[in-house]
Amino acid sequence: MTEYSDPIVIDEFRTLAASILHIETGTIDIDKPLNEAGMNSIEIIDFIRQVERRYNIQIQPEKLTDFTLAGIAAAVPVSARG
């Protein structure tokens, strides 16, 4: 698992991903690439844009070592995590 795993942020990400994928929140593995979980590239971009709006940040592509929930959560700066 990625080092950072703030449970509040991860829960929000799981809820958002589940709504995009139309699946149960508990079925989402935070370490599984979003494309393997069933998201296409447009849905992944939509997910990241929603995260950026929610946290009022801009995630630089080079900050994303992988497109997993845990990886994206690690790209959210501590100052934006509330």
Side-chain angles (χ1 to χ4, degrees):
M1 180 189 292
T2 302
E3 277 184 40
Y4 170 72
S5 59
D6 181 317
I8 295 170
V9 173
I10 293 297
D11 285 347
E12 287 180 9
F13 285 9
R14 273 194 169 125
T15 299
L16 176 57
S19 72
I20 290 171
L21 293 168
H22 306 288
I23 61 174
E24 294 292 320
T25 304
T27 63
I28 297 178
D29 179 347
I30 67 169
D31 294 310
K32 185 174 189 176
L34 295 176
N35 63 328
E36 289 180 23
M39 274 193 203
N40 63 39
S41 58
I42 293 170
E43 291 168 329
I44 293 170
I45 291 168
D46 179 48
F47 178 89
I48 291 171
R49 286 193 175 143
Q50 289 188 54
V51 168
E52 290 175 329
R53 280 193 303 272
R54 160 70 176 93
Y55 290 97
N56 195 28
I57 60 170
Q58 188 169 20
I59 299 174
Q60 301 301 317
E62 63 272 7
K63 295 270 187 184
L64 298 172
T65 56
D66 57 45
F67 287 98
T68 65
L69 296 184
I72 295 168
V76 175
V78 172
S79 61
R81 295 178 191 161

